[in-house]
Amino acid sequence: MRARLGSLGPALVLVLAACTQSDSAPAQTPVLVVASPTPGVPTVIPIPCIPCQKRGAGEPSLVVTRPLIDARGPWTYYVNANDYTVVLALGDVIWAGTDAGLFQWNNQGQWQRFARPDGLPGDAITALAGTPGGDLWVGTNQGVARRASDGDWLALDTPASVRALAVDPQGRVWVALADGLGLAQLDPGSQLMLAAGWPGDDAHVVTTDAQGQAWCGTNAGVVVYDGSSWQRTTLADMGLPAGEPVTAIALNATGQVWCRAGDAVAHYDGRAWIAYPSAYEAVVAGFLAVRGAVNPNGLWCADAGGNVWLQGTRRVEVYDGERWSPQPFTAHDARAMSADAQGRLWLGLSGAGLLRITPDDERVLYVLEGPPANQLVAVAAAGDHTIWCGTASAGVGVLALAGAADGPTWQVYDAQNSPVQSAVIERISTDLAGVWVAVAGGALYRFRDGQWLTYESVWQAVESEYVILVASGVTRGPNWLAAAPGRVWAWDGDTLGCYDGVAWQRYPVPGAGSVHLTRVARDAAGRLWCGTYGHGLFVFDPAGAQWSPYTRAGNELASAYVSDVLADEASAVWISTRGVAGQPGQGLYRIDAYSIGHHWDTAAGLPSLDLGDLAADGRGHVWAGCAKGLVQVNADDTLTLITPADGLISSRVTSLALDGTGRLWIGTWDGLCSYDPYATE
């Protein structure tokens, strides 16, 4: 807070900011610095400060947890939707955007999910804005969509992802686009028009004032557009430090403007810019004006009692005009805030849910149960009713489809509650007695009878679990293969090994030291087909303990990066490869009687050469996941491509598994979904 104390006369030199003591702003006693009789030695006069007082613990009085199951015909979706990016109160409805779709909430905690099958151009929600007529505009990473007041959707592709949306008093929609494209406007026919003359900065946020001017925060400052001309104010002109883009803008009815860049805030009072080192000082200095600021874009939010909620440096705090009250969640936790017409405050928390705070401080946290993260890299079915999911960053999630009174439940295993120390999962498989989890670094974990076991190597794991593996029949683990009669084959790096319950026989792959085995399958003749990373396909014949590089005339598999190897019930061997630029031998292969029976590449209909898991459903179809969707290989060798337009949750398919009912479980980079391909038959 700045002040003038004229009664002190010319001796007054400087008044420091008012106390901003809080959990996120260390306590600093305000002081007066005045002249003193001794030259060069100022007199410092402390000003007593009022200590902060918390309103209470602030923890939710009620946590409502529900499983997130989004079923649509043959498709069912399971996503982690507790990481909120934007929240907007529009009438009696709360709209909350996540990386996994848009959610419509009511005050009773009932929700509905909207995603690409409903007409959204993308599932990652980046911006929301409402019109006076009740329409909702939604910005995504792949375009913009309008939901009319009657519930109809209209999707529009944009040349770049949408960073922010705003609706001016005339109902015009403004769009801030990434990649330096700047500001665009939607005309009455919902056609996107780039604003002519954009100065070339990178747009981050947009809002509008009472005159219909668009204020756009950029990496270089603020640009104001009146429909025909541009006015550009740099970060230096605003007193803000270089290197931080303007990511939030708030305006009030009197024309005052606040812009946030990093921790700093610049305030325009209609005449000049005033810079503050943090939003705390800006709120204290202009508390009454701040409370009336509209469309704050995440800068701050005023509640029904006139208090200002601020996402501070490290914590969310509330200022009532006298003191700051720290809240029990960090600024990183609360990524979005909005107040509804009834004075309720809605906070979208990062990874924790949606928090509703009533004017009398009742706090209810709504949590939707889903996988621990949406970036899935492995999926396996244990029977008909349990699905195991491996993530790229958050351990293992287990979906139990039956048994709980309230529906499906999720259990998460990570370093906090299990020996699975690595959050990066590579493979998951199941057998008669339990589940195997392979992680980055080579360790294997076994879940059996409700307990976890840890194995430092596959050799140790096979020896310990030999009886169970043999009893399970012909099954395949992360890096082992159980096969009759009484043998288990395992591989690690460049070595294939066979264990008969007594001793190991190990067979290094030719070219040892550079060959890395990825996947192995056993054909009807007992041969082992071994995929490698960058060295193609090898065949091992146990009868003669002989290795043979698969280099039949006319094929290029000798140099391929093999993703998966699958032996189907018709005695064919299927090979999928990982697309590597400039490398031959890419695509999907079917090998019949040791010869390539069919090769599919992009010319033959594959949407991508970056292939992953394979699955055979026993009904004449083989499924292949790829970077651009799900491929179904039909009995006549034609391909059917399934994409998000057909209901697939994401085009980036990472893993496949079939459960006991024939339902296909699909792990993707955007969540988990299941698909019943024969639901309509």
Side-chain angles (χ1 to χ4, degrees):
M1 180 176 64
R2 300 184 178 185
R4 293 181 180 273
L5 301 179
S7 60
L8 291 178
L12 177 63
V13 176
L14 177 66
V15 180
L16 293 186
C19 174
T20 58
Q21 176 189 355
S22 68
D23 283 0
S24 60
Q28 294 181 347
T29 301
V31 296
L32 292 180
V33 182
V34 301
S36 74
T38 305
V41 181
T43 298
V44 179
I45 305 175
I47 301 175
C49 106
I50 302 173
C52 295
Q53 296 180 4
K54 294 185 179 181
R55 297 181 179 183
E59 298 292 341
S61 54
L62 178 65
V63 178
V64 179
T65 302
R66 296 189 177 96
L68 196 165
I69 308 171
D70 188 5
R72 304 161 184 246
W75 296 94
T76 305
Y77 307 100
Y78 306 86
V79 294
N80 184 315
N82 289 311
D83 196 1
Y84 289 89
T85 54
V86 60
V87 176
L88 174 68
L90 191 61
D92 296 329
V93 173
I94 301 300
W95 295 95
T98 75
D99 289 335
L102 176 67
F103 288 78
Q104 180 188 45
W105 289 84
N106 63 20
N107 192 46
Q108 288 72 45
Q110 298 169 323
W111 59 271
Q112 183 177 359
R113 177 175 176 263
F114 297 92
R116 273 177 285 194
D118 300 293
L120 287 175
D123 286 350
I125 310 302
T126 57
L128 297 171
T131 70
D135 291 353
L136 174 72
W137 285 91
V138 183
T140 78
N141 60 331
Q142 297 184 40
V144 65
R146 183 194 69 197
R147 185 179 189 269
S149 56
D150 60 4
D152 288 340
W153 286 94
L154 173 66
L156 301 170
D157 291 332
T158 56
S161 62
V162 175
R163 282 185 170 158
L165 294 170
V167 179
D168 66 21
Q170 290 74 42
R172 294 174 298 191
V173 180
W174 296 88
V175 184
L177 296 171
D179 300 336
L181 294 182
L183 197 61
Q185 182 184 334
L186 291 166
D187 67 12
S190 296
Q191 296 297 313
L192 191 72
M193 301 182 299
L194 292 175
W198 175 253
D201 300 333
D202 194 18
H204 285 264
V205 68
V206 63
T207 189
T208 60
D209 60 23
Q211 291 72 43
Q213 297 183 119
W215 291 69
C216 188
T218 75
N219 62 311
V222 170
V223 178
V224 181
Y225 184 59
D226 63 6
S228 60
S229 61
W230 302 88
Q231 179 181 344
R232 187 171 183 262
T233 305
T234 67
L235 292 169
D237 295 335
M238 302 163 68
L240 295 174
E244 293 282 358
V246 173
T247 56
I249 302 176
L251 300 92
N252 70 3
T254 64
Q256 299 187 64
V257 183
W258 292 263
C259 299
R260 185 173 188 170
D263 294 333
V265 171
H267 171 216
Y268 182 70
D269 62 5
R271 296 169 298 175
W273 287 97
I274 306 169
Y276 298 91
S278 76
Y280 294 101
E281 285 85 0
V283 170
V284 171
F287 178 61
L288 296 179
V290 164
R291 290 191 306 178
V294 295
N295 197 14
N297 292 312
L299 216 172
W300 49 61
C301 186
D303 63 20
N307 306 298
V308 174
W309 291 68
L310 173 68
Q311 292 173 267
T313 306
R314 291 188 297 272
R315 300 198 67 82
V316 173
E317 309 204 27
V318 183
Y319 187 67
D320 62 6
E322 296 181 359
R323 58 182 60 85
W324 289 99
S325 299
Q327 301 301 300
F329 31 83
T330 69
H332 174 73
D333 290 335
R335 297 178 60 186
M337 297 185 288
S338 185
D340 64 21
Q342 288 71 40
R344 294 180 291 256
L345 193 67
W346 296 80
L347 275 70
L349 306 181
S350 178
L354 184 66
L355 180 65
R356 186 195 70 193
I357 304 175
T358 65
D360 58 359
D361 208 29
E362 178 190 53
R363 302 184 177 208
V364 178
L365 179 64
Y366 296 105
V367 178
L368 296 177
E369 276 197 323
N374 287 323
Q375 294 75 38
L376 303 181
V377 294
V379 61
D384 299 345
H385 304 296
T386 305
I387 307 299
W388 287 69
C389 302
T391 72
S393 61
V396 178
V398 184
L399 171 63
L401 295 168
D406 296 330
T409 60
W410 282 91
Q411 171 68 53
V412 177
Y413 293 108
D414 55 22
Q416 302 300 316
N417 64 350
S418 77
V420 182
Q421 296 300 308
S422 174
V424 182
I425 309 301
E426 291 189 341
R427 293 279 184 181
I428 298 179
S429 66
T430 62
D431 58 27
L432 287 178
V435 178
W436 293 89
V437 177
V439 302
L444 269 175
Y445 299 96
R446 171 74 152 155
F447 187 79
R448 174 162 51 88
D449 300 326
Q451 301 293 323
W452 283 98
L453 301 172
T454 302
Y455 296 105
E456 297 302 323
S457 70
V458 65
W459 319 114
Q460 180 192 25
V462 169
E463 290 177 14
S464 178
E465 302 283 336
Y466 172 75
V467 174
I468 294 174
L469 297 182
V470 171
S472 296
V474 180
T475 55
R476 183 168 65 163
N479 50 352
W480 54 259
L481 180 71
R487 295 180 179 179
V488 178
W489 294 86
W491 56 94
D492 185 14
D494 63 355
T495 301
L496 180 69
C498 179
Y499 186 68
D500 60 4
V502 178
W504 283 98
Q505 294 292 326
R506 290 184 170 88
Y507 308 95
V509 183
S514 61
V515 175
H516 177 74
L517 291 168
T518 55
R519 298 292 272 168
V520 175
R522 181 176 181 268
D523 67 14
R527 293 173 301 219
L528 300 178
W529 295 75
C530 305
T532 71
Y533 190 76
H535 293 270
L537 187 64
F538 288 80
V539 181
F540 182 78
D541 187 352
Q546 294 293 318
W547 284 102
S548 300
Y550 189 76
T551 55
R552 296 313 238 184
N555 79 69
E556 298 173 319
L557 269 171
S559 60
Y561 289 73
V562 176
S563 296
D564 201 3
V565 183
L566 172 72
D568 68 14
E569 296 179 351
S571 301
V573 176
W574 296 78
I575 311 295
S576 66
T577 69
R578 181 74 62 190
V580 178
Q583 290 292 327
Q586 300 184 68
L588 177 64
Y589 294 82
R590 187 188 71 237
I591 300 174
D592 303 316
Y594 216 83
S595 298
I596 292 180
H598 207 102
H599 173 214
W600 295 266
D601 55 14
T602 52
L606 277 181
S608 168
L609 293 176
D610 196 0
L611 301 172
D613 275 8
L614 299 170
D617 62 14
R619 300 180 66 171
H621 294 118
V622 170
W623 303 84
C626 73
K628 292 187 178 180
L630 177 66
V631 177
Q632 175 183 321
V633 184
N634 304 307
D636 60 358
D637 290 339
T638 60
L639 302 180
T640 300
L641 176 62
I642 300 173
T643 70
D646 304 300
L648 185 63
I649 193 172
S650 170
S651 59
R652 189 174 175 183
V653 175
T654 60
S655 48
L656 300 174
L658 284 157
D659 66 20
T661 69
R663 196 170 186 88
L664 183 65
W665 291 85
I666 307 162
T668 78
W669 207 243
D670 296 299
L672 174 70
C673 66
S674 67
Y675 176 54
D676 186 352
Y678 307 105
T680 59
E681 291 187 3

